[in-house]
Protein backbone atom coordinates (compact mmCIF):
# COMPACT_ATOMS: atom_id res chain seq x y z
CA UNK A 1 0.00 0.00 0.00
CA UNK A 2 1.33 3.42 -0.94
CA UNK A 3 0.84 6.14 1.62
CA UNK A 4 0.70 9.79 0.65
CA UNK A 5 3.73 11.40 2.34
CA UNK A 6 1.42 13.90 4.05
CA UNK A 7 -0.23 11.05 5.95
CA UNK A 8 3.09 10.42 7.67
CA UNK A 9 3.58 14.16 8.21
CA UNK A 10 0.15 14.44 9.81
CA UNK A 11 0.94 11.62 12.23
CA UNK A 12 4.29 13.19 13.08
CA UNK A 13 2.67 16.58 13.73
CA UNK A 14 0.01 15.10 15.97
CA UNK A 15 2.65 13.22 17.94
CA UNK A 16 4.71 16.38 18.52
CA UNK A 17 1.79 18.60 19.47
CA UNK A 18 0.15 16.11 21.83
CA UNK A 19 3.22 14.52 23.39
CA UNK A 20 3.47 17.25 26.02
CA UNK A 21 -0.09 16.56 27.15
CA UNK A 22 0.44 12.79 27.21
CA UNK A 23 3.89 12.60 28.80
CA UNK A 24 4.14 15.85 30.75
CA UNK A 25 5.87 19.11 29.94
CA UNK A 26 8.66 18.64 32.49
CA UNK A 27 9.82 15.36 30.96
CA UNK A 28 13.51 15.63 30.04
CA UNK A 29 14.39 14.69 26.47
CA UNK A 30 17.74 14.64 24.71
CA UNK A 31 18.15 17.01 21.78
CA UNK A 32 21.01 17.82 19.43
CA UNK A 33 22.19 21.43 19.29
CA UNK A 34 23.11 22.18 15.67
CA UNK A 35 25.18 25.21 16.67
CA UNK A 36 27.46 23.44 19.16
CA UNK A 37 27.09 20.00 17.52
CA UNK A 38 26.54 18.55 20.99
CA UNK A 39 23.66 16.81 22.69
CA UNK A 40 21.85 18.36 25.64
CA UNK A 41 18.74 17.85 27.74
CA UNK A 42 15.63 19.97 27.32
CA UNK A 43 12.19 19.91 28.89
CA UNK A 44 9.54 18.59 26.53
CA UNK A 45 7.41 21.74 26.93
CA UNK A 46 10.35 23.86 25.75
CA UNK A 47 10.88 21.64 22.73
CA UNK A 48 7.20 21.83 21.75
CA UNK A 49 7.31 25.61 22.11
CA UNK A 50 10.44 25.76 19.94
CA UNK A 51 8.79 23.57 17.32
CA UNK A 52 5.74 25.80 17.10
CA UNK A 53 7.17 29.24 16.25
CA UNK A 54 10.46 31.09 15.71
CA UNK A 55 12.04 32.04 19.03
CA UNK A 56 12.18 35.77 18.36
CA UNK A 57 8.46 35.77 17.55
CA UNK A 58 7.70 34.41 21.01
CA UNK A 59 9.97 37.07 22.50
CA UNK A 60 8.00 39.99 21.02
CA UNK A 61 4.50 38.58 20.52
CA UNK A 62 2.03 40.59 22.61
CA UNK A 63 -0.12 37.52 23.21
CA UNK A 64 2.78 35.84 25.00
CA UNK A 65 4.13 38.95 26.69
CA UNK A 66 1.23 41.36 27.21
CA UNK A 67 -2.08 39.48 27.29
CA UNK A 68 -3.12 38.55 30.88
CA UNK A 69 -1.96 35.08 31.81
CA UNK A 70 -5.18 34.59 33.80
CA UNK A 71 -7.23 34.84 30.61
CA UNK A 72 -4.96 32.38 28.84
CA UNK A 73 -5.46 29.93 31.71
CA UNK A 74 -9.20 30.53 31.65
CA UNK A 75 -9.22 29.78 27.92
CA UNK A 76 -7.70 26.35 28.56
CA UNK A 77 -10.53 25.60 30.97
CA UNK A 78 -13.09 26.85 28.46
CA UNK A 79 -11.75 24.51 25.82
CA UNK A 80 -12.98 21.62 27.94
CA UNK A 81 -16.51 22.84 27.20
CA UNK A 82 -18.26 21.28 24.21
CA UNK A 83 -20.21 24.51 23.72
CA UNK A 84 -17.04 26.62 23.59
CA UNK A 85 -15.44 24.27 21.07
CA UNK A 86 -18.55 24.15 18.90
CA UNK A 87 -18.94 27.93 18.84
CA UNK A 88 -15.18 28.60 18.62
CA UNK A 89 -15.53 30.84 21.67
CA UNK A 90 -12.27 32.44 22.72
CA UNK A 91 -11.26 35.01 25.31
CA UNK A 92 -7.84 35.66 23.84
CA UNK A 93 -6.51 36.30 20.30
CA UNK A 94 -6.27 32.74 19.03
CA UNK A 95 -4.08 33.50 16.02
CA UNK A 96 -0.63 32.22 16.94
CA UNK A 97 -0.70 28.83 15.24
CA UNK A 98 -2.12 27.78 11.91
CA UNK A 99 -1.70 24.68 9.82
CA UNK A 100 -2.37 25.52 6.18
CA UNK A 101 -2.97 22.63 3.78
CA UNK A 102 -3.05 23.80 0.16
CA UNK A 103 -3.62 21.85 -3.03
CA UNK A 104 -1.65 22.42 -6.19
CA UNK A 105 -2.50 25.57 -8.19
CA UNK A 106 -4.56 27.27 -5.47
CA UNK A 107 -4.19 31.04 -5.16
CA UNK A 108 -4.94 33.62 -2.48
CA UNK A 109 -5.44 37.12 -3.84
CA UNK A 110 -3.78 40.23 -2.45
CA UNK A 111 -4.60 40.99 1.16
CA UNK A 112 -3.18 42.40 4.38
CA UNK A 113 -3.23 40.18 7.43
CA UNK A 114 -5.79 41.33 9.96
CA UNK A 115 -4.91 44.16 12.29
CA UNK A 116 -1.67 44.79 10.42
CA UNK A 117 -0.15 41.81 12.19
CA UNK A 118 3.18 40.36 11.17
CA UNK A 119 3.23 36.72 10.04
CA UNK A 120 5.66 33.85 10.39
CA UNK A 121 5.36 31.26 7.64
CA UNK A 122 7.17 27.91 7.47
CA UNK A 123 6.86 25.46 4.56
CA UNK A 124 7.03 21.96 5.97
CA UNK A 125 6.18 20.30 2.66
CA UNK A 126 5.79 21.72 -0.82
CA UNK A 127 6.38 25.25 -2.03
CA UNK A 128 4.80 28.72 -2.03
CA UNK A 129 5.19 31.76 -4.27
CA UNK A 130 4.52 35.21 -2.79
CA UNK A 131 3.96 38.58 -4.42
CA UNK A 132 4.74 41.32 -1.89
CA UNK A 133 3.91 45.03 -1.99
CA UNK A 134 5.43 47.46 0.51
CA UNK A 135 2.79 49.26 2.63
CA UNK A 136 3.67 52.81 1.65
CA UNK A 137 0.90 55.36 2.06
CA UNK A 138 0.44 55.45 -1.71
CA UNK A 139 0.21 51.65 -1.95
CA UNK A 140 -2.21 51.39 0.97
CA UNK A 141 -4.52 53.90 -0.72
CA UNK A 142 -4.24 51.93 -3.96
CA UNK A 143 -5.03 48.70 -2.12
CA UNK A 144 -8.03 50.24 -0.37
CA UNK A 145 -9.43 51.53 -3.66
CA UNK A 146 -8.86 48.12 -5.26
CA UNK A 147 -10.59 46.34 -2.38
CA UNK A 148 -13.59 48.68 -2.37
CA UNK A 149 -14.01 48.15 -6.12
CA UNK A 150 -14.54 44.44 -5.45
CA UNK A 151 -15.34 42.36 -8.51
CA UNK A 152 -15.45 45.50 -10.64
CA UNK A 153 -11.64 45.64 -10.60
CA UNK A 154 -10.20 42.36 -11.86
CA UNK A 155 -6.70 43.71 -12.47
CA UNK A 156 -3.74 41.97 -10.84
CA UNK A 157 -2.74 44.41 -8.12
CA UNK A 158 0.91 43.50 -8.53
CA UNK A 159 0.90 45.13 -11.98
CA UNK A 160 -0.35 48.46 -10.65
CA UNK A 161 2.67 49.16 -8.45
CA UNK A 162 6.12 47.85 -7.60
CA UNK A 163 5.84 44.23 -6.53
CA UNK A 164 8.42 41.71 -5.29
CA UNK A 165 8.20 37.98 -6.04
CA UNK A 166 9.50 35.48 -3.47
CA UNK A 167 9.61 31.69 -3.82
CA UNK A 168 9.54 29.87 -0.49
CA UNK A 169 10.72 26.28 -0.71
CA UNK A 170 10.35 23.29 1.57
CA UNK A 171 12.08 23.82 4.91
CA UNK A 172 12.28 27.60 4.55
CA UNK A 173 10.70 30.17 6.86
CA UNK A 174 9.67 33.72 6.06
CA UNK A 175 8.49 36.65 8.16
CA UNK A 176 6.02 39.00 6.50
CA UNK A 177 6.27 42.39 8.25
CA UNK A 178 3.28 44.31 9.53
CA UNK A 179 1.01 45.75 6.87
CA UNK A 180 2.65 44.23 3.80
CA UNK A 181 0.20 43.54 0.99
CA UNK A 182 0.68 40.05 -0.42
CA UNK A 183 -0.79 37.26 -2.50
CA UNK A 184 0.16 33.58 -2.47
CA UNK A 185 0.30 30.88 -5.15
CA UNK A 186 0.79 27.17 -4.45
CA UNK A 187 2.63 25.39 -7.31
CA UNK A 188 2.49 21.95 -5.61
CA UNK A 189 0.49 20.38 -2.78
CA UNK A 190 1.82 22.04 0.35
CA UNK A 191 1.69 21.90 4.12
CA UNK A 192 2.57 25.08 6.00
CA UNK A 193 2.79 26.18 9.62
CA UNK A 194 2.32 29.83 10.44
CA UNK A 195 0.94 32.38 12.83
CA UNK A 196 0.12 36.05 13.31
CA UNK A 197 1.57 38.30 15.96
CA UNK A 198 1.24 41.89 17.15
CA UNK A 199 4.32 43.56 18.59
CA UNK A 200 5.75 46.85 19.82
CA UNK A 201 7.80 47.73 16.73
CA UNK A 202 4.95 48.40 14.28
CA UNK A 203 2.28 50.09 16.38
CA UNK A 204 1.57 52.89 13.86
CA UNK A 205 1.14 50.38 11.02
CA UNK A 206 -1.13 48.15 13.10
CA UNK A 207 -3.36 51.12 13.90
CA UNK A 208 -3.22 52.30 10.26
CA UNK A 209 -4.44 48.92 8.99
CA UNK A 210 -7.20 48.80 11.60
CA UNK A 211 -8.53 52.13 10.31
CA UNK A 212 -8.31 50.79 6.75
CA UNK A 213 -10.33 47.74 7.80
CA UNK A 214 -12.95 50.01 9.33
CA UNK A 215 -13.49 51.48 5.87
CA UNK A 216 -13.41 48.34 3.72
CA UNK A 217 -15.52 46.47 6.31
CA UNK A 218 -14.35 42.84 6.13
CA UNK A 219 -16.36 40.17 7.92
CA UNK A 220 -15.81 39.99 11.67
CA UNK A 221 -13.90 36.71 11.37
CA UNK A 222 -11.33 38.53 9.22
CA UNK A 223 -10.59 41.11 11.93
CA UNK A 224 -7.93 40.53 14.59
CA UNK A 225 -9.79 39.24 17.66
CA UNK A 226 -9.59 41.43 20.77
CA UNK A 227 -7.60 44.02 18.82
CA UNK A 228 -8.44 46.99 21.04
CA UNK A 229 -8.17 45.02 24.28
CA UNK A 230 -4.58 44.02 23.61
CA UNK A 231 -3.63 47.69 23.21
CA UNK A 232 -5.07 48.38 26.66
CA UNK A 233 -2.90 45.55 28.00
CA UNK A 234 0.20 47.04 26.41
CA UNK A 235 -0.48 50.53 27.76
CA UNK A 236 -1.09 49.13 31.24
CA UNK A 237 2.22 47.26 31.04
CA UNK A 238 4.17 50.33 29.92
CA UNK A 239 2.69 52.44 32.73
CA UNK A 240 3.36 49.71 35.29
CA UNK A 241 7.00 49.27 34.26
CA UNK A 242 7.60 53.01 34.34
CA UNK A 243 5.67 54.02 37.46
CA UNK A 244 5.05 50.75 39.37
CA UNK A 245 1.33 51.51 39.20
CA UNK A 246 -0.88 48.61 38.21
CA UNK A 247 -4.10 49.32 36.37
CA UNK A 248 -5.26 45.74 36.08
CA UNK A 249 -5.78 45.50 39.81
CA UNK A 250 -5.74 47.81 42.85
CA UNK A 251 -2.98 50.44 42.69
CA UNK A 252 0.14 49.33 44.50
CA UNK A 253 1.27 51.46 47.47
CA UNK A 254 4.80 51.85 46.12
CA UNK A 255 3.67 54.08 43.24
CA UNK A 256 6.21 56.71 42.22
CA UNK A 257 5.76 60.35 41.35
CA UNK A 258 5.42 60.61 37.58
CA UNK A 259 7.59 63.72 37.31
CA UNK A 260 10.42 63.04 39.70
CA UNK A 261 11.35 59.36 39.65
CA UNK A 262 14.73 58.57 38.07
CA UNK A 263 13.40 55.04 37.52
CA UNK A 264 10.90 56.40 35.01
CA UNK A 265 13.58 58.20 33.02
CA UNK A 266 15.80 55.13 32.96
CA UNK A 267 12.94 52.94 31.80
CA UNK A 268 11.93 55.35 29.05
CA UNK A 269 15.54 55.61 27.86
CA UNK A 270 15.67 51.81 27.63
CA UNK A 271 12.85 51.69 25.07
CA UNK A 272 13.92 51.26 21.42
CA UNK A 273 13.21 54.27 19.16
CA UNK A 274 10.66 52.32 17.09
CA UNK A 275 8.69 51.54 20.25
CA UNK A 276 8.88 55.12 21.52
CA UNK A 277 7.62 56.55 18.24
CA UNK A 278 4.77 54.04 18.20
CA UNK A 279 3.51 55.19 21.60
CA UNK A 280 2.33 58.56 20.27
CA UNK A 281 -0.18 57.26 17.70
CA UNK A 282 -1.22 54.69 20.31
CA UNK A 283 -2.13 57.50 22.72
CA UNK A 284 -4.23 59.14 20.02
CA UNK A 285 -5.90 55.80 19.27
CA UNK A 286 -6.81 55.08 22.90
CA UNK A 287 -8.12 58.62 23.36
CA UNK A 288 -10.35 57.86 20.37
CA UNK A 289 -11.49 54.60 22.00
CA UNK A 290 -12.46 56.40 25.20
CA UNK A 291 -14.89 58.54 23.22
CA UNK A 292 -16.74 55.47 21.95
CA UNK A 293 -19.82 54.06 23.62
CA UNK A 294 -17.98 50.76 24.00
CA UNK A 295 -14.21 51.40 24.23
CA UNK A 296 -13.56 47.65 24.55
CA UNK A 297 -11.50 47.95 27.71
CA UNK A 298 -10.15 44.56 28.71
CA UNK A 299 -11.39 42.88 31.86
CA UNK A 300 -9.46 43.99 34.92
CA UNK A 301 -8.81 47.59 33.91
CA UNK A 302 -11.31 49.57 35.95
CA UNK A 303 -9.88 53.08 35.52
CA UNK A 304 -9.14 53.49 31.81
CA UNK A 305 -9.31 57.29 31.91
CA UNK A 306 -6.70 57.40 34.67
CA UNK A 307 -4.57 54.91 32.76
CA UNK A 308 -4.60 57.08 29.64
CA UNK A 309 -3.80 60.13 31.77
CA UNK A 310 -0.73 58.36 33.17
CA UNK A 311 0.23 57.21 29.69
CA UNK A 312 -0.04 60.77 28.37
CA UNK A 313 2.20 61.97 31.21
CA UNK A 314 4.82 59.40 30.21
CA UNK A 315 4.80 60.65 26.63
CA UNK A 316 5.25 64.21 27.86
CA UNK A 317 8.24 62.93 29.81
CA UNK A 318 9.60 61.35 26.63
CA UNK A 319 9.35 64.71 24.88
CA UNK A 320 11.16 66.48 27.72
CA UNK A 321 13.94 63.89 27.61
CA UNK A 322 14.26 64.37 23.85
CA UNK A 323 13.82 60.65 23.18
CA UNK A 324 11.41 60.88 20.27
CA UNK A 325 13.09 60.48 16.89
CA UNK A 326 11.13 62.53 14.37
CA UNK A 327 13.02 60.92 11.46
CA UNK A 328 11.49 57.46 11.99
Amino acid sequence: MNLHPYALVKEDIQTKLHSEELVGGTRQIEVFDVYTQKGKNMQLKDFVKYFNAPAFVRDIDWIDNVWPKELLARQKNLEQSAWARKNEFSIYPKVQKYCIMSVKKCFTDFHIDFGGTAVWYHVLKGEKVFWLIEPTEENLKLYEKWMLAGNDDTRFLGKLTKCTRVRLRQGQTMIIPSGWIHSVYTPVDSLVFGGNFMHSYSIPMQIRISHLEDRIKPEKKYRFPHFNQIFWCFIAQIVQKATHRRYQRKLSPEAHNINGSPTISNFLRSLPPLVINGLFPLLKYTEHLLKLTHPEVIEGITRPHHLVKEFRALLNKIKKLGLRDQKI
Side-chain angles (χ1 to χ4, degrees), residues 258-292:
I258 190 70
N259 294 314
S261 172
T263 305
I264 294 174
S265 299
N266 292 339
F267 170 73
L268 295 177
R269 287 192 177 97
S270 72
L271 295 175
L274 278 175
V275 175
I276 287 177
N277 278 27
L279 298 180
F280 289 87
L282 180 54
L283 173 63
K284 185 177 180 181
Y285 185 69
T286 49
E287 288 175 335
H288 160 72
L289 290 178
L290 285 177
K291 296 176 183 178
L292 301 178

Side-chain angles (χ1 to χ4, degrees), residues 133-317:
I133 298 174
E134 184 180 359
T136 63
E137 191 60 31
E138 181 181 356
N139 285 339
L140 288 174
K141 289 179 179 178
L142 175 66
Y143 170 76
E144 182 176 344
K145 182 179 179 181
W146 180 78
M147 286 292 293
L148 289 173
N151 294 331
D152 294 333
D153 193 341
T154 58
R155 293 174 296 175
F156 185 69
L157 186 62
K159 289 188 175 181
L160 305 182
T161 186
K162 183 179 179 181
C163 185
T164 301
R165 184 173 179 270
V166 175
R167 183 178 293 271
L168 199 64
R169 294 182 170 84
Q170 183 169 311
Q172 294 182 327
T173 302
M174 180 169 71
I175 304 295
I176 301 177
S178 297
W180 278 67
I181 308 160
H182 58 284
S183 64
V184 192
Y185 174 69
T186 308
V188 295
D189 291 352
S190 300
L191 183 62
V192 169
F193 285 115
N196 296 74
F197 58 101
M198 290 181 70
H199 57 90
S200 308
Y201 300 95
S202 294
I203 294 173
M205 181 59 68
Q206 289 161 172
I207 293 173
R208 172 71 174 84
I209 299 305
S210 178
H211 288 319
L212 186 152
E213 291 172 337
D214 289 340
R215 293 189 293 273
I216 64 176
K217 294 179 169 54
E219 294 181 46
K220 184 178 179 180
K221 65 180 179 180
Y222 297 123
R223 300 293 298 264
F224 187 90
H226 307 288
F227 181 81
N228 291 332
Q229 287 96 330
I230 203 166
F231 277 124
W232 286 111
C233 294
F234 177 69
I235 291 174
Q237 186 182 90
I238 288 288
V239 170
Q240 179 191 338
K241 287 182 176 180
T243 69
H244 294 194
R245 293 188 178 96
R246 295 181 63 93
Y247 277 86
Q248 287 185 285
R249 67 178 188 185
K250 187 177 179 180
L251 294 180
S252 60
E254 66 271 21
H256 296 292
N257 183 289
I258 190 70
N259 294 314
S261 172
T263 305
I264 294 174
S265 299
N266 292 339
F267 170 73
L268 295 177
R269 287 192 177 97
S270 72
L271 295 175
L274 278 175
V275 175
I276 287 177
N277 278 27
L279 298 180
F280 289 87
L282 180 54
L283 173 63
K284 185 177 180 181
Y285 185 69
T286 49
E287 288 175 335
H288 160 72
L289 290 178
L290 285 177
K291 296 176 183 178
L292 301 178
T293 306
H294 302 289
E296 299 184 53
V297 179
I298 191 169
E299 177 184 345
I301 294 180
T302 56
R303 304 172 68 195
H305 287 84
H306 287 81
L307 173 58
V308 172
K309 183 178 179 180
E310 292 258 26
F311 188 53
R312 188 184 302 113
L314 285 178
L315 299 198
N316 289 334
K317 185 77 172 179

Side-chain angles (χ1 to χ4, degrees), residues 110-122:
F110 282 97
H111 63 283
I112 300 173
D113 275 67
F114 48 23
T117 49
V119 186
W120 67 272
Y121 206 93
H122 176 77

Side-chain angles (χ1 to χ4, degrees), residues 118-130:
V119 186
W120 67 272
Y121 206 93
H122 176 77
V123 179
L124 185 68
K125 290 285 185 180
E127 192 173 306
K128 292 282 184 175
V129 179
F130 290 82

